[in-house]
Structures are given as C-alpha cells and as structure tokens.
C-alpha cells in the first residue's frame, strides 16, 4: 500500500460511514430480513430499481462486516462522469463498474462480475438494467442474473425489494418526506437443473414482487 492509497482508503471509509448515517437520518431506512439472516455468506442481492438511491439504501442497511464484502454492480458511464462520483463509486462503494455501451467495451461485463464473485465478494445488482419509470412493478429482467446463477450455482441469489423511495423524494421535490424506507430481503433462489432462462427470470421476478408492500403507496 502506497502512502497515497492509505489516506484515500481512510477517506473512503469515512465517507462511507457518513453516507450511511445521512441515509438513515433522511429516510429512517431499515432492513427486513424476511427470508435470510444478516450473516457473512456470499450472495447476489437482486433488487428493483426506481431511483439512483436504491443502491445506497441496500448498501446502507447491511451490517458493517457484510457491507465491506459487498460490491454493487453499477454503470461506469454514470459513476465515472465526475471526479466526485469517480471517488464515491469505485472507492467508497467499491463498485464493479460495467460499461453499458457495447461499442465502447474492452472486456466482457460478465467476466468482471464473475471475477468479483470468485474473489469472494457479494454483489448488488439491478436485473431490470434501467430505472423503472412505468406503473408496472418491474421491467423485464435481463439475462445477467440467470448467467450468474448458471455460472456460480453455489452463490445465493437473494430477492431484495426497496420500498418507499419514490414517496420519500417525489420528482421535483427538494425536501424529503418523513416516510420510512424499507429494504426487504427474501428467501434465496437458485437456477434449477435444466431450467431455461425465461422460466428462471420469470420465477426470479415473481420472488421479488412478492416482497413488495401491498398497501397503496407501498411500491418502492
């Protein structure tokens, strides 16, 4: 470790703690461990995606010992756009950065993801790919979650529903509303032997939607 890297690592850890405290203060975010326990086991947390705050909310509610081993899979073009984001994404959240532009890629995104798993990391992913701005609970899932499950069948795939973020910070508002954000972790799933991509992704989406609050306004 170089003299320069040590201060940056310390700064990243400090900023991470500050972000977690800020998120809890603004949203009162809490975890609902409905299908698993908060233990240090390798997992892929796959979540719904309606806001840029989804990933920080999931990361924030993880216990510190799990947070340090959990890496969000995120868009390189977003997190490298400014110097601040380039510090927070790669160094605070330790993101696995994926280029969403096929024409600009120099490596296979799935290889980077599997490498992170092989190094022992857990991951946070958003299988819809883009933020869901529709009235449907989810956009169609992309194939990445299925490919991870096929390639690394020992890793638990955990449905993770983030609720109330749209209500806490509605579009056009600058003051957060006093609502509690809940991150619900469901029972792990795996790709079954002989299960094809479409069948698995349908089952994964159903497992995720099943965690959504049923009352009006409870959608993430």
């Amino acid at each position: 470790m170089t003299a320069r890297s040590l201060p940056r690592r310390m700064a990243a850890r400090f900023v991470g703690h500050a972000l977690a405290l800020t998120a809890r203060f603004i949203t009162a975010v809490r975890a609902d461990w409905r299908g698993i326990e908060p233990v240090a086991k390798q997992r892929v947390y796959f979540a719904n995606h309606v806001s840029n705050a989804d990933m920080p909310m999931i990361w924030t509610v993880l216990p510190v010992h799990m947070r340090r081993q959990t890496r969000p899979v995120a868009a390189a073009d977003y997190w490298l756009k400014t110097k601040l984001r380039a510090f927070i994404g790669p160094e605070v959240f330790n993101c696995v950065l994926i280029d969403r532009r096929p024409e600009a890629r120099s490596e296979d995104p799935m290889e980077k993801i599997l490498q992170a798993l092989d190094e022992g990391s857990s991951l946070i992913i958003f299988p819809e790919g883009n933020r869901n701005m529709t009235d449907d609970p989810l956009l169609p899932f992309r194939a990445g979650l299925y490919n991870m499950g096929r390639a690394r069948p020992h890793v638990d795939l955990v449905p993770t529903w983030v609720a109330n973020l749209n209500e806490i910070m509605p579009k056009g508002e600058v003051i957060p509303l006093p609502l509690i954000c809940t991150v619900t972790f469901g029972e792990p799933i795996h790709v079954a032997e002989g299960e094809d991509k479409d069948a698995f992704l349908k089952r994964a989406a159903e497992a995720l939607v099943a965690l959504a609050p049923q009352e009006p306004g409870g959608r993430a």
Side-chain angles (χ1 to χ4, degrees), residues 179-196:
L179 295 174
I180 295 175
C181 174
T182 303
V183 179
T184 302
F185 298 93
E187 185 175 350
I189 65 172
H190 299 85
V191 178
E193 184 175 355
E195 187 173 25
D196 66 27

Side-chain angles (χ1 to χ4, degrees), residues 67-84:
R67 192 187 305 160
R68 291 173 180 167
Q69 301 301 321
T70 303
R71 304 181 63 187
V73 177
D77 54 292
Y78 177 83
W79 285 106
L80 299 180
K81 191 171 184 179
T82 68
K83 289 184 178 180
L84 179 60

Side-chain angles (χ1 to χ4, degrees), residues 68-194:
R68 291 173 180 167
Q69 301 301 321
T70 303
R71 304 181 63 187
V73 177
D77 54 292
Y78 177 83
W79 285 106
L80 299 180
K81 191 171 184 179
T82 68
K83 289 184 178 180
L84 179 60
R85 290 184 193 174
F87 172 69
I88 293 176
E91 299 194 48
V92 176
F93 294 130
N94 194 21
C95 292
V96 179
L97 294 178
I98 301 301
D99 199 324
R100 294 183 293 186
R101 304 163 299 172
E103 70 282 359
R105 290 175 184 161
S106 59
E107 55 188 328
D108 183 355
M110 187 54 58
E111 288 184 5
K112 292 187 68 174
I113 291 170
L114 296 180
Q115 180 182 347
L117 289 174
D118 291 343
E119 291 169 352
S121 296
S122 291
L123 301 177
I124 298 170
I125 70 164
F126 299 96
E128 296 167 279
N130 297 312
R131 284 184 292 166
N132 182 8
M133 308 302 289
T134 74
D135 292 329
D136 295 327
L138 293 172
L139 298 175
F141 280 9
R142 299 185 180 183
L145 182 65
Y146 174 75
N147 294 334
M148 292 178 213
R150 282 284 304 273
R152 302 296 183 267
H154 64 283
V155 178
D156 285 345
L157 309 176
V158 178
T160 305
W161 187 270
V162 185
N164 273 346
L165 274 181
N166 275 356
E167 285 74 21
I168 289 169
M169 186 66 81
K171 184 176 180 180
E173 297 294 331
V174 295
I175 300 176
L177 300 178
L179 295 174
I180 295 175
C181 174
T182 303
V183 179
T184 302
F185 298 93
E187 185 175 350
I189 65 172
H190 299 85
V191 178
E193 184 175 355

